Amino acid sequence: MNRRRLRRHPTLSSLWLLGITVLAGCQSVGSGVDRVRDSESLAESAISMTDYVDAAAIYERLASRADASNARRLNTLAALAWLDAGDIDRAVELASTLSAPQPGAPGVDTWSLLMAGIATSMGDWDDARTRLDALSSQPLPTNQRIRYQRWRASVLFNDADPALATSYLARRELWLTSERAIAENHQLIWDGLRATSIEQLYEALAATSDQTVRGWIELVVTTNPVRTNPSALATVVGAWSRRYIGHPANATFVPALIGDGAGMTDAPRQVALILPLGGRSERFAAAIRDGFLAAHIADLADRGAAPRIRVYDVSTDGATLTVQRALADGAEMVIGPLTKTALTELALQPALPVTTLALNRLPPDVLAPTGLYQFGLAPEDEARAAAERAIGLGLTRAVALAPIGDLGERLLTSFATHYQALGGTLLDYERYDPRETDFSTPIKRVMQIQSSIGRRSRLQNLLGERVEYEPRRRQDVDMIFMPASAASARQLKPQLAFHYSGDIPTFATAQIANADGRDSSELAGIEYAEIPWLVAAPDSLTPSAEQIAVHWRGEAQFQRLYALGMDAYRLIDVLGGFELAEPLAGASGKLSVDVDGVVRRQLVWSLFDGTEGTALPLLAPLPVEPIEESAWPEVEAQIGSN
């Protein structure tokens, strides 16, 4: 029977009354056996709609009027219905009046299931496990299979296997035909997981990849610390729902959990900002803190209301303990931590108790826990922007000069993979040592100057006389990608010109614009990606870069971190549940949040004049065929074979 027909029945009590009427008075249509079957269907309908007491009463009434063989079968079904209703005493009392069928006789599987259900309900786990194991290979009808899965899940929850127990109940749901039965099944999952220790839930998360099962477990793990805080609960559940779109719990269970969705889009009332305010990262953290608090003050002035902000120093106790302290103080959202070490510590948890906006990104091989969003000034963003700018200008053939080290490798990888995805070709690349000042060797290699000199030598040997000849660089290069600090770039740019490559468009990263107190006029003409706040800030941003430049003595790296703090504050409402109709025009870029919880930045393109950058016109967005950065070794091999 489908759900639409079931909903047409006014109440299950009327079903029960109808069954009694059929038994007592209907004599005109069909045989007695047919009438009994019709009445059994009413009991089955009652079970499908979770009216188990009504079903048990119908079965018992039918049994009282049936022959001995049918009476035993019907009373067995009645006892099963009493178990469904949670009345173990009535089920045991009724079962004690029945004799077990002989092996191989009709109804033996139903009787075995009843005994397994009684054992499960009484907590006799060994007996229940043995009986259920014996039934596991039997072709049970649907209504009995539903009971088997329920009791098997109960045993598995007792055996500390919450993932498999949840999997049984998730499969059970496929056979349920009424919304009430599905809601009851969801409650069984919830109750079983809530009764499981948090350590066992974490172990289950680590062991399963089933997204339905993971969703249920993460829902319990993330809501448990905030279950008495309605606003924080709404925030956590809202984040879970966005991560698990399409999860069965989203239909009815989640709205009921937080009170029919009330508060799902409420901004948090208290936010914890956790930063390393001591040690090597102190100055960086201070810039972020100041930008965050400046945006908070501007918000108060603009709206007259804003969440409470509490700042915590994470450098003493570590990320996990600091978050726990913030939650105990009433935090409903966390901003931070900043360092990769602290962030990786938080990521050891499969799920976070409240929505957390980290101010950095996890390494690619670390899985982000539920509730974690990642936002940072990743230099890889600038490398990808360089690839987009080059392709947008029709510069489809590139070479690269990248510094030796982890940062240089990351920038080279990001540029190469994105450039190739957009249709460009990286012809060659070289790495240089930023501790040196003479970069002639890598420049001559990547520009193939040496082969030109070799051709001159061969001509001189052939002719036996000096040949007037000017060495030439390769002619197939449209642009150079050159991530470099200001100090390295001041050496690289003139040396590129010396080696006949000064006329090739050169793209860098924002490192070249970090003021270090020296003249950088030789870098004029280099283009790079920059945050809007420093070259093309929206009017809505308060304060302006000029207003805080005095405080930070014009140091661009700290100004960028200040902008990161401003934007972190402005993302509170977004992560609290408010949808972005379009990218947020932030200080650090146009911001959007992808499905993995990573905040993406669209940067502006800037021309460096030796002192500062000037914004260049934006180009139309490009369609991208994404290539994973793990594909870089393959790209590298292809370059090496050219």
Side-chain angles (χ1 to χ4, degrees), residues 54-118:
D54 289 349
I58 293 173
Y59 281 131
E60 286 195 34
R61 187 69 175 233
L62 289 169
S64 70
R65 298 172 180 271
D67 57 42
S69 176
N70 270 325
R72 177 165 44 189
R73 179 180 65 83
L74 291 165
N75 276 321
T76 302
L77 293 174
L80 284 167
W82 285 119
L83 282 181
D84 293 336
D87 193 336
I88 180 64
D89 293 337
R90 187 72 183 92
V92 170
E93 179 185 351
L94 185 54
S96 66
T97 67
L98 307 174
S99 58
Q102 294 298 316
V108 67
D109 288 344
T110 305
W111 174 261
S112 297
L113 186 66
L114 173 61
M115 293 298 100
I118 289 174

Side-chain angles (χ1 to χ4, degrees), residues 219 222-223 226-242 254-255 257-269 332-333 353-355 575-577:
L219 185 61
T222 55
T223 56
V226 294
R227 61 184 181 273
T228 60
N229 185 331
S231 180
L233 180 64
T235 300
V236 169
V237 172
W240 180 93
S241 295
R242 290 190 294 276
V254 162
L257 182 63
I258 59 173
D260 296 324
M264 287 264 313
T265 58
D266 286 349
R269 292 172 297 181
E332 297 172 2
M333 183 181 288
V354 294
T355 297
L575 302 185

Side-chain angles (χ1 to χ4, degrees), residues 357 361 374-377 381 531-532 538 541 563-572 574-575 579-594 598-603:
L357 176 64
R361 292 190 194 168
Q374 301 174 63
F375 176 41
L377 301 182
D381 294 342
I531 66 170
L541 291 177
L564 177 68
M566 293 170 66
D567 284 350
Y569 181 86
R570 300 182 77 211
L571 284 167
I572 290 174
V574 175
L575 302 185
E579 296 295 330
L580 277 175
E582 57 186 20
L584 177 67
S588 63
K590 284 190 174 181
L591 309 178
S592 58
V593 184
D594 69 14
V598 176
V599 180
R600 300 295 180 186
R601 298 185 300 138
Q602 181 185 347
L603 301 169

Side-chain angles (χ1 to χ4, degrees), residues 425-472:
T425 300
L426 184 61
L427 300 169
D428 202 353
Y429 66 93
E430 285 290 338
R431 297 179 177 91
Y432 63 87
D433 188 342
R435 295 170 299 180
E436 302 292 335
T437 57
D438 183 358
F439 303 122
S440 297
T441 298
I443 290 174
K444 285 192 289 188
R445 283 176 181 167
V446 81
M447 301 309 299
Q448 297 181 351
I449 304 295
Q450 201 63 43
S451 61
S452 175
I453 295 173
R455 286 193 297 273
R456 180 183 65 179
S457 297
R458 287 194 298 274
L459 278 173
Q460 289 183 161
N461 290 336
L462 177 65
L463 298 174
E465 60 184 42
R466 181 179 179 84
V467 176
E468 292 297 328
Y469 185 88
E470 182 175 325
R472 298 179 61 197

Side-chain angles (χ1 to χ4, degrees), residues 517-535:
R518 294 182 57 188
D519 176 54
S520 297
S521 57
E522 59 265 70
L523 303 185
I526 292 180
E527 298 184 21
Y528 67 101
E530 184 60 279
I531 66 170
W533 197 52
L534 292 180
V535 294

Side-chain angles (χ1 to χ4, degrees), residues 123-126 128-130 132-133 151-165 192 196 200 203:
D124 189 351
W125 302 112
D126 290 338
R129 194 179 301 107
T130 300
L132 290 169
D133 286 346
W151 292 327
R152 173 63 79 182
S154 295
V155 172
L156 288 167
F157 275 125
N158 178 75
D159 291 346
D161 194 345
L164 188 55
T196 304
Q200 290 170 350
E203 290 174 6

Side-chain angles (χ1 to χ4, degrees), residues 121 197 206 265 330 349 360 378 449 469 554 557 580 638:
S121 301
S197 72
T265 58
Q349 306 175 53
N360 210 322
I449 304 295
Y469 185 88
Q557 59 180 331
L580 277 175
Q638 292 172 354

